[in-house]
Amino acid sequence: MPKRIMSALAVGAFVLPNIGTADGIVSKIVNAPLSATGTVANARVGINVYLQKPDAMGIEFMDPNVVGYGIPPGGSLEIEMAEGFERDWDVALTQSAIMLVTGAPQQGLPGKVLGYTVQDGEDENTFLITPSDEAGLPAEQLMSPAPGAKGDPVPNKGIKVIHIGFQQSAFFNMGGIGKVTVRIKDATGAVVDSGGATLEFDESPVAQILPTNFPQKRRNHNWQSINSGDTTGQTEGTLPLTYMIYGQSPADDVDTMYAFKGGLEGVGVLSTPQLNQIGYSKPEVLERYNGGLVLQDTNGDGTLDPSDDTIIGGIIASAPAGAKGQELKSLETDGTPVLSVLTEKMAPKPGKRWGGSMLMLQFTGGDKPGKYRPTVALLKNSSDLASADGASYTYTIEVK
């Protein structure tokens, strides 16, 4: 496997991480849920390309009531690593290097089950996905074989995300900015849908918080629908909001970063009501965390206290105007917070393969109907409370 030492000159050229542009059917590019360093300069690629539609832009496209994309009869799907990526010729462009996904957290659409092949396109940096059946891949019929998917109230359908750097990674992030272009073609080779996005690579690794559904057999945790006062993970039929957390990888070389699987144990959330209850006032530099704080239990007592434990991030709450009563905090069992544990302790098979740790949170719906979107953000530098945000993820909960 090739070795690439991080270039101080190249790293110094970067200013802001993960700033990019997007157009057409592509919404944005983010770090993939199974990679601790997928968007780091000079590291192996591990990214998710989020798609969208004109009537469901950005995050709205992940609504399971919105059907994703298919591939026309006789057509194909091309994913071009257009700029800022270098091919590793020791890794073939096969299913191991890419996965089509419906929803986020992702439910895979494997070619062996759904009926498509993956190979090199006309350009050496292009994945070519071709349906095995002349009928193509109708979006309405593209549903994940994930064991938990059949239990989703509304099944996700169609291609919504493209995971590049799946079980293997065939590209390196090179330079400052990467660009990915997606094209859906019909039987004549004409482009019927297309789009692209750019991503500014991270100058060095940061801790990652990512969506996951490993503990619940890959059920869809996103876009849960609840009544006011219901709590996800507690109310019957609901699931906790579940996250994958990676610690900060060493930045020595590409192999070290790619192999890194370290998770953060003892992480949880104290909501703003909980902080108020113990009389804790957030420092001014953390005022943006209006929904609470993310802490790591550093004294090992199994509880969270911002005076004794390490603050590593916070909650940025978004709710319908005037809503009250909403709250995001650590999942509780008999009144005791469930703090993060290594993935292998909760989901042994994926935990052994992908590493990281599992964090589960519960969300209580507010008194106004509408979409609630709590964002869990990690500080870019957990040793500095004045640090900017690094990695983050936003779930959507609909309150009826």
Side-chain angles (χ1 to χ4, degrees):
M1 189 177 289
K3 293 273 188 180
R4 291 182 181 278
I5 304 301
M6 295 290 287
S7 164
L9 179 61
V11 168
F14 305 138
V15 181
L16 295 173
N18 295 325
I19 301 297
T21 60
D23 62 68
I25 68 170
V26 178
S27 168
K28 62 180 178 179
I29 303 172
V30 298
N31 194 92
L34 304 179
S35 174
T37 59
T39 56
V40 177
N42 294 349
R44 284 190 180 271
V45 170
I47 57 176
N48 271 7
V49 180
Y50 279 34
L51 305 182
Q52 62 184 1
K53 285 185 173 180
D55 57 349
M57 299 291 282
I59 197 171
E60 302 297 331
F61 187 60
M62 297 304 163
D63 182 345
N65 291 290
V66 176
V67 177
Y69 287 94
I71 301 177
S76 63
L77 170 64
E78 295 179 348
I79 302 97
E80 181 185 359
M81 311 297 281
E83 297 175 18
F85 302 103
E86 181 180 306
R87 177 84 181 265
D88 178 359
W89 291 101
D90 292 333
V91 180
L93 300 192
T94 65
Q95 181 75 91
S96 294
I98 193 169
M99 175 63 74
L100 302 182
V101 174
T102 188
Q106 54 193 49
Q107 295 175 320
L109 298 169
K112 186 175 181 180
V113 178
L114 277 299
Y116 65 82
T117 60
V118 182
Q119 62 191 65
D120 286 61
E122 292 183 4
D123 180 273
E124 64 187 28
N125 281 10
T126 298
F127 292 91
L128 175 63
I129 295 179
T130 307
S132 305
D133 193 294
E134 62 182 16
L137 293 175
E140 288 279 357
Q141 297 177 22
L142 285 178
M143 291 183 285
S144 176
K150 61 187 68 173
D152 292 337
V154 180
N156 263 301
K157 298 178 181 180
I159 304 164
K160 294 192 173 183
V161 179
I162 300 167
H163 184 162
I164 301 171
F166 176 48
Q167 294 173 330
Q168 294 181 294
S169 181
F171 294 91
F172 301 98
N173 301 319
M174 298 300 296
I177 294 176
K179 180 179 180 180
V180 179
T181 301
V182 177
R183 295 179 291 270
I184 299 175
K185 294 183 175 181
D186 66 15
T188 70
V191 176
V192 294
D193 285 297
S194 66
T198 62
L199 171 76
E200 186 169 338
F201 301 131
D202 295 312
E203 59 183 39
S204 60
V206 296
Q208 292 287 346
I209 185 160
L210 305 152
T212 188
N213 47 18
F214 282 156
Q216 287 82 27
K217 298 182 180 179
R218 301 192 292 285
R219 284 277 308 277
N220 180 21
H221 298 52
N222 210 351
W223 289 83
Q224 293 186 67
S225 181
I226 61 175
N227 294 314
S228 174
D230 283 354
T231 301
T232 63
Q234 301 290 353
T235 300
E236 185 177 357
T238 66
L239 300 171
L241 307 186
T242 308
Y243 306 78
M244 170 87 87
I245 301 179
Y246 287 107
Q248 184 174 3
S249 165
D252 300 332
D253 59 65
V254 66
D255 290 341
T256 301
M257 290 188 288
Y258 188 60
F260 183 76
K261 297 180 179 180
L264 297 179
E265 294 188 276
V267 174
V269 169
L270 285 179
S271 67
T272 294
Q274 288 177 307
L275 294 171
N276 291 339
Q277 188 175 11
I278 63 176
Y280 180 80
S281 296
K282 291 191 291 287
E284 186 175 346
V285 292
L286 300 178
E287 282 300 315
R288 66 186 181 281
Y289 297 143
N290 58 332
L293 296 176
V294 181
L295 300 103
Q296 185 172 24
D297 175 25
T298 47
N299 60 15
D301 64 0
T303 63
L304 299 176
D305 185 335
S307 300
D308 295 328
D309 297 316
T310 304
I311 299 171
I312 63 172
I315 310 303
I316 303 170
S318 174
K324 297 178 181 179
Q326 63 271 18
E327 182 180 21
L328 182 71
K329 63 181 180 181
S330 291
L331 183 69
E332 293 181 350
T333 300
D334 298 326
T336 301
V338 178
L339 304 183
S340 68
V341 298
L342 296 181
T343 305
E344 61 189 62
K345 295 180 181 179
M346 189 175 294
K349 187 175 180 179
K352 184 177 181 180
R353 179 166 203 163
W354 305 112
S357 61
M358 297 284 100
L359 170 67
M360 296 192 294
L361 306 179
Q362 62 183 53
F363 179 83
T364 300
D367 63 354
K368 302 288 185 184
K371 296 170 184 174
Y372 291 74
R373 287 181 166 140
T375 297
V376 181
L378 301 181
L379 292 170
K380 190 172 183 180
N381 179 1
S382 61
S383 63
D384 180 10
L385 292 185
S387 170
D389 292 338
S392 67
Y393 188 74
T394 303
Y395 271 100
T396 296
I397 306 98
E398 291 193 286
V399 174
K400 296 179 280 187

